[in-house]
Amino acid sequence: MVTVILGCQWGDEGKGKIVDVLAQHADVVVRFQGGANAGHTVVADGTQYVLHLIPSGILNPKTACVIGHGVVLDPASLLEEIQLLAKLGTDLKGRLLISNRAHLVMPYHKTLDQAKELAGGDKKIGTTGRGIGPAYTDKASRVGIRVLDLLEPERLKDKITKNISSVNQILEHIYHAPRIEAQGVIAEYLAYGKTLAPYIADAESYLVQAVRDKKNIILEGAQGSLLDIDIGTYPYVTSSNTTAGGSSTGSGIAPRKIDKVIGVVKAYTTRVGEGPFPTELPEAEGNALREQGKEFGATTGRPRRCGWFDAAVVRFAAEVNGADELVITKLDVLDNLPKIKICTGYAYRGKPLPHFPADMEVLSEVQPIYEEFPGWQAKTSSVTEWSNLPQAAQNYLHRLEELVGVRIGMVSVGPDRAQIITKK
Ligand code: GDP
Ligand code: IMO
Ligand code: MG
């Protein structure tokens, strides 16, 4: 059984928690795109883990974890994670596989990412500064350095030297920033090659075999569907395919082998970074959700922009992903509110908009059409059965299902593994 679990908003939907819960019955969990821009939080036995590159199945001792070739891998960030997990008692030997085809994030990618943002002024994207855009740019330009190059010292030296020489041109002449010395980077990456060698594998053939053996496989998305480079809110997106298609191209598991797509969505909406956000709440109201939901970035610590649930966004995401099921997270965050709104669709220049717009000038002008719901004003965080949810909460969730057109499979009511309701 191959299941894709991905975010259907702008990221931070709670994918990490849901992957961890479902990984209790999985043989393999695979990250298929993105890089250390992701921050996936898992709370297991009272300990909180924030994972950036390692799949969120890692806390289940029997689950193997694969970093697929669609990921851009920052070795420094990965080693920090490996060391932290080891310190907390999680052994990765023989359980973590890194695709030898994955591209590397180099220090100059981070330098370029940050320099571009700094120079961007009001045109900046609000990236995480983790070098994601420049790393995927090198991949698409066919000058990227891959994980397998780490094991070939001469080739690695040659590639780093060539790339740094062109990066220095850009740094010097476009950003008027200091040059980078190749020697230090070469030494650093040669050392990564030695340390990471035991994890580097032909992950694609491992996964093909796992599919053949009918293993239970989870493909874990990072970011969210609206941050997809192709169908997201371009240019305010990340540089990879975060939607279901990316799970196949980024793992090497053929599309026809995928059995199920689960879309994870928050019971409201958040976004980090720039770009239009139709249901964004004004400062004071947004603050209430931000405080209650602890909406601060898991990677950058930035306050997340908060707003009401946007059914236009999730409906669009569910369609392009072919979502079979939704998981609603953070329902408990709405517990105290007297009134809750849902955006059912948009009006543009006085007329209803039939489709989610491709043009960000249109999206920044749309008027959300709201329905208002009475809040339940009761604690849901210890509820474990659907029938024990307050009636007003059930009504709210039923309306989300109806508006998105996809059934809800699970509802999360707190960060812990145990705080999950399965809807029959
Ligand atoms: P991801 O990037 O999609 O994995 O999500 P993040 O980890 O960045 O953000 C989700 C945050 O919400 C984390 O701090 C989680 O521990 C927390 N969380 C997940 N599910 C729930 C829930 O149902 N209720 C509450 N209150 N917090 C949750
Ligand atoms: P997870 O996996 C939320 C956003 C950044 C920025 C845009 C581009 O934890 O859900 P990038 O660094 O990727 O070039 O930034 O994408 N972004 C995320 N927002 N959650 C994430 O990951 C994100 N990863 C990137 O804030 O707006
Ligand atoms: Mg996150």
Side-chain angles (χ1 to χ4, degrees):
M1 172 91 177
V2 181
T3 307
V4 180
I5 301 178
L6 44 71
C8 282
Q9 291 158 319
W10 277 286
D12 303 325
E13 295 90 348
K15 300 174 291 294
K17 170 185 165 161
I18 302 307
V19 169
D20 171 66
V21 167
L22 294 174
Q24 293 172 39
H25 308 287
D27 301 298
V28 189
V29 179
V30 190
R31 265 285 302 275
F32 57 83
Q33 46 67 234
N37 49 349
H40 295 180
T41 314
V42 176
V43 181
D45 304 322
T47 306
Q48 177 176 295
Y49 302 79
V50 180
L51 300 162
H52 300 287
L53 282 162
I54 296 181
S56 304
I58 201 70
L59 299 167
N60 296 284
K62 290 196 185 120
T63 311
C65 286
V66 176
I67 299 180
H69 58 244
V71 169
V72 286
L73 184 104
D74 178 352
S77 173
L78 177 65
L79 281 175
E80 237 175 74
E81 248 176 85
I82 291 177
Q83 279 153 11
L84 189 74
L85 283 167
K87 208 155 64 187
L88 294 169
T90 304
D91 188 18
L92 306 180
K93 288 265 155 56
R95 276 218 298 142
L96 176 68
L97 277 83
I98 305 170
S99 165
N100 53 5
R101 288 180 169 88
H103 280 248
L104 294 169
V105 173
M106 306 298 292
Y108 49 81
H109 291 140
K110 289 184 254 186
T111 309
L112 287 173
D113 187 2
Q114 290 157 18
K116 187 160 191 249
E117 285 285 282
L118 211 64
D122 61 358
K123 292 270 187 319
K124 73 175 198 301
I125 306 291
T127 72
T128 59
R130 296 298 191 268
I132 305 303
Y136 279 114
T137 300
D138 276 3
K139 174 177 175 173
S141 307
R142 293 155 293 178
V143 295
I145 305 179
R146 296 191 292 167
V147 167
L148 54 83
D149 295 321
L150 288 175
L151 306 177
E152 296 293 336
E154 286 313 311
R155 197 201 297 169
L156 183 68
K157 280 183 208 165
D158 187 47
K159 288 192 169 184
I160 293 179
T161 308
K162 280 203 183 105
N163 284 2
I164 287 188
S165 147
S166 41
V167 166
N168 277 338
Q169 299 285 324
I170 300 171
L171 288 178
E172 205 167 14
H173 299 295
I174 297 183
Y175 297 120
H176 310 292
R179 294 168 62 86
I180 293 173
E181 285 308 323
Q183 281 316 316
V185 180
I186 292 170
E188 187 185 339
Y189 277 67
L190 283 173
Y192 292 145
K194 292 206 175 99
T195 323
L196 293 178
Y199 303 105
I200 299 174
D202 190 345
E204 298 65 36
S205 49
Y206 172 85
L207 290 174
V208 166
Q209 191 56 44
V211 171
R212 240 182 239 138
D213 294 343
K214 307 230 174 316
K215 299 272 191 207
N216 204 351
I217 302 170
I218 292 175
L219 303 179
E220 174 183 7
Q223 291 77 55
S225 301
L226 278 290
L227 290 172
D228 183 283
I229 181 89
D230 285 298
I231 64 101
T233 47
Y234 193 89
Y236 301 101
V237 293
T238 191
S239 299
S240 63
N241 283 115
T242 59
T243 44
S247 72
S248 182
T249 54
S251 69
I253 294 181
R256 289 179 55 217
K257 303 291 180 196
I258 294 169
D259 300 290
K260 189 174 181 183
V261 178
I262 298 179
V264 184
V265 288
K266 261 180 213 180
Y268 48 99
T269 314
T270 62
R271 168 160 214 181
V272 206
E274 307 302 316
F277 177 179
T279 63
E280 183 168 16
L281 281 163
E283 192 66 19
E285 279 175 274
N287 269 341
L289 276 181
R290 189 172 307 114
E291 296 304 325
Q292 194 63 35
K294 301 198 176 73
E295 295 295 355
F296 297 89
T299 296
T300 58
R302 289 180 290 176
R304 294 173 180 152
R305 299 158 67 191
C306 296
W308 297 120
F309 187 89
D310 187 338
V313 160
V314 181
R315 194 159 51 224
F316 174 58
E319 278 165 3
V320 297
N321 286 309
D324 298 295
E325 204 175 289
L326 296 180
V327 176
I328 308 291
T329 62
K330 305 192 92 160
L331 183 75
D332 56 298
V333 174
L334 305 180
D335 282 355
N336 299 328
L337 298 177
K339 285 198 174 102
I340 302 167
K341 286 188 189 175
I342 302 179
C343 162
T344 59
Y346 305 141
Y348 178 64
R349 300 193 173 165
K351 290 199 188 102
L353 204 60
H355 304 292
F356 191 82
D359 187 336
M360 287 314 101
E361 282 184 27
V362 176
L363 190 66
S364 51
E365 242 190 79
V366 298
Q367 293 295 320
I369 302 164
Y370 285 116
E371 267 178 17
E372 198 174 83
F373 280 75
W376 41 95
Q377 300 192 281
K379 206 163 153 288
T380 57
S381 52
S382 38
V383 175
T384 52
E385 297 282 332
W386 175 268
S387 57
N388 293 336
L389 279 172
Q391 191 55 50
Q394 292 189 27
N395 295 348
Y396 178 73
L397 293 167
H398 277 310
R399 186 63 180 138
L400 299 191
E401 264 181 338
E402 203 169 68
L403 286 167
V404 176
V406 178
R407 68 175 287 270
I408 293 172
M410 289 194 299
V411 180
S412 171
V413 290
D416 199 86
R417 265 182 190 174
Q419 292 172 298
I420 194 93
I421 300 167
T422 303
K423 184 168 171 276
K424 304 231 163 53

